[in-house]
Amino acid sequence: MMENRAIYEPEHEELRRAVRKFFQAELMPNIAKWEEDGIIPKELWRKAGEMGILCPTVSEEYGGAGGGFLHLSIIDEELGYTGQSSFTIQTHTDIVASYIEALGTDEQKQRWLPRMVTGEMIGAIAMTEPHAGSDLKNINTTAKRDGDDFVIKGQKTYITNGINADLVIVVCKTAPELGRNGVSLIVVDGTRPGFDRGKRLKKIGMKASDTAELFFDDVRVPVSNLLGTENAGFKQVMHEIPKERLSIATIAMSSAQKAFDTTVEFVKDRIVFGKPLIEFQNTQFKLAELKAHLTVGWAHLDHCIARHIKGELTSDEAAIAKLFNTELQCRVVDECLQLHGGWGYMAETPIARMYTDARVRRIAGGSSEIMKMLIARTL
């Protein structure tokens, strides 16, 4: 159901084949070891950069391929179809590079984007805080002007790429008295004095993804590292987040498809009571229902992608895609694990990895409950 869809041209399908081949050769043979290590090595990032997998929409002027959103979608789909969620290039490409593309000055783009394209520089975004979650109006991290510098003080948590990151977009208060209207985005170089990384946080899934706490103890950065307009950070995030949620929906959809395809192959080979598991009506009905939901999910995703390309995708439409596809992913993976029986509960099986990795999709990028609130506001 992933290939030969109306929204894609032959060049996109050619990219799909190349990206899938890269992930099969460079990522999947090593993912079990990297899950034990708790981190993806920077060497893989550089290899992905060499392949043109990182930041495909960055213009040629800044070292990129100048591709369109469909190129980005293909890479997201293939990332989901690996059946793992630890190689978090989505944060690097779909969020950090996208923010710099949309908000950065020419000098900032020249400084950061070429090295992000090559994988030499890995990006992270520090939004979530221990006592505020991702509620931007209640964050406590501050950035105070002191001459030509901002002085940043605060703490962030659950930061994807937190250990590997070479640059971090920090969401902070530059005018705390203004609430959400006093939020700014400031880029912090990972080598700045006063910037510290906490221990790598252990998760139930995405075990090779380096998630960490970040600490800012009077970190001085030049005012030129301000991304976009001072005190307009909340509006800037709200403008970019529908695209982020569409990317999450895309990865969730392809991850669900991978679980389904893996399970179809398993039940054809698994012998139970003298015959393949696929021959039992219960198995057929379960898989038939999942296929129907997947077919509808792909059609709606393509509709949303087409709307985004036209500049017509609304915040609630992105929320619907994120809500539906992440909930669908978790349901599909759960049903598929059940069809694997006891084998599905063994940690070394692909479906077990898909099961534990899937759960965060209903939380990250805005929980399902938040998505429902956004949709409900339009009623």
Side-chain angles (χ1 to χ4, degrees):
M1 294 182 214
M2 291 176 62
E3 294 88 354
N4 302 316
R5 298 181 353 244
I7 63 170
Y8 292 123
E9 301 293 339
E11 67 169 290
H12 300 117
E13 296 302 338
E14 183 177 346
L15 174 63
R16 182 191 301 282
R17 289 189 290 272
V19 173
R20 185 174 296 188
K21 183 178 180 181
F22 174 83
F23 286 147
Q24 289 174 342
E26 301 290 345
L27 174 61
M28 297 316 295
N30 303 301
I31 189 63
K33 179 185 183 302
W34 293 337
E35 285 181 336
E36 291 179 3
D37 297 340
I39 197 166
I40 298 284
K42 288 191 173 185
E43 180 186 2
L44 183 65
W45 287 85
R46 290 189 287 271
K47 287 182 178 180
E50 291 172 5
M51 271 291 296
I53 290 174
L54 304 179
C55 313
T57 62
V58 170
S59 69
E60 294 180 7
E61 180 182 1
Y62 303 113
F69 186 77
L70 289 177
H71 296 92
L72 188 67
S73 295
I74 286 284
I75 292 169
D76 281 343
E77 287 180 13
E78 288 306 312
L79 190 63
Y81 201 69
T82 59
Q84 62 76 47
S85 300
S86 289
F87 190 26
T88 46
I89 63 175
Q90 182 200 15
T91 297
H92 173 88
T93 293
D94 299 31
I95 302 176
V96 179
S98 179
Y99 273 57
I100 295 172
E101 282 184 274
L103 303 171
T105 64
D106 180 67
E107 186 277 329
Q108 289 174 332
K109 293 176 184 178
Q110 292 284 5
R111 193 180 351 156
W112 296 317
L113 288 178
R115 288 186 289 167
M116 292 187 70
V117 169
T118 61
E120 179 187 352
M121 178 174 277
I122 298 171
I125 184 165
M127 186 180 301
T128 308
E129 296 190 359
H131 302 294
S134 54
D135 180 6
L136 299 190
K137 67 178 180 294
N138 287 318
I139 61 173
N140 294 315
T141 299
T142 59
K144 296 181 179 180
R145 285 288 294 265
D146 182 19
D148 293 331
D149 291 339
F150 282 111
V151 180
I152 303 175
K153 190 174 187 64
Q155 177 183 352
K156 299 291 183 176
T157 193
Y158 311 140
I159 306 306
T160 301
N161 297 340
I163 302 297
N164 268 336
D166 301 289
L167 85 163
V168 182
I169 297 177
V170 182
V171 183
C172 47
K173 289 280 186 69
T174 41
E177 70 279 5
L178 298 179
R180 71 180 187 181
N181 294 320
V183 173
S184 297
L185 309 180
I186 300 175
V187 178
V188 175
D189 187 299
T191 61
R192 287 276 166 182
F195 171 65
D196 287 310
R197 309 167 202 261
K199 64 180 181 180
R200 180 179 55 81
L201 301 174
K202 293 184 179 181
K203 308 176 296 295
I204 63 172
M206 299 178 66
K207 294 179 180 179
S209 167
D210 55 307
T211 306
E213 293 179 304
L214 302 181
F215 300 93
F216 304 86
D217 186 10
D218 293 333
V219 178
R220 301 185 74 92
V221 297
V223 171
S224 60
N225 278 27
L226 174 70
L227 196 59
T229 304
E230 188 170 351
N231 296 330
F234 182 82
K235 292 180 181 178
Q236 291 166 174
V237 169
M238 290 303 103
H239 183 267
E240 292 296 317
I241 208 164
K243 183 170 69 172
E244 176 187 342
R245 288 170 177 158
L246 182 58
S247 294
I248 293 171
T250 300
I251 291 180
M253 197 66 226
S254 55
S255 298
Q257 187 68 53
K258 179 66 172 183
F260 178 84
D261 293 348
T262 299
T263 303
V264 169
E265 292 303 311
F266 177 83
V267 297
K268 287 178 179 179
D269 295 334
R270 177 67 166 169
I271 304 299
V272 179
F273 299 117
K275 62 180 181 180
L277 190 55
I278 188 67
E279 294 185 14
F280 289 88
Q281 188 181 66
N282 178 71
T283 304
Q284 295 171 5
F285 279 12
K286 287 286 187 183
L287 292 174
E289 185 177 8
L290 294 181
K291 183 174 182 178
H293 284 289
L294 287 167
T295 301
V296 174
W298 280 116
H300 181 255
L301 178 65
D302 288 357
H303 166 77
C304 290
I305 291 173
R307 292 268 295 165
H308 174 72
I309 291 172
K310 293 178 181 178
E312 298 173 355
L313 184 72
T314 63
S315 178
D316 63 294
E317 287 175 328
I320 290 170
K322 200 271 181 185
L323 172 67
F324 183 85
N325 288 13
T326 57
E327 293 284 343
L328 177 62
Q329 178 191 2
C330 286
R331 179 186 171 192
V332 169
V333 174
D334 185 68
E335 294 277 17
C336 288
L337 189 147
Q338 187 72 15
L339 288 171
H340 278 72
W343 182 238
Y345 201 64
M346 299 298 103
E348 68 268 23
T349 62
I351 196 66
R353 176 185 293 120
M354 294 179 215
Y355 182 86
T356 53
D357 282 2
R359 189 58 183 84
V360 75
R361 295 290 178 208
R362 292 162 58 193
I363 300 171
S367 67
S368 290
E369 291 72 27
I370 296 296
M371 298 304 100
K372 291 173 185 178
M373 287 175 60
L374 295 173
I375 298 163
R377 289 174 184 170
T378 68
L379 301 180

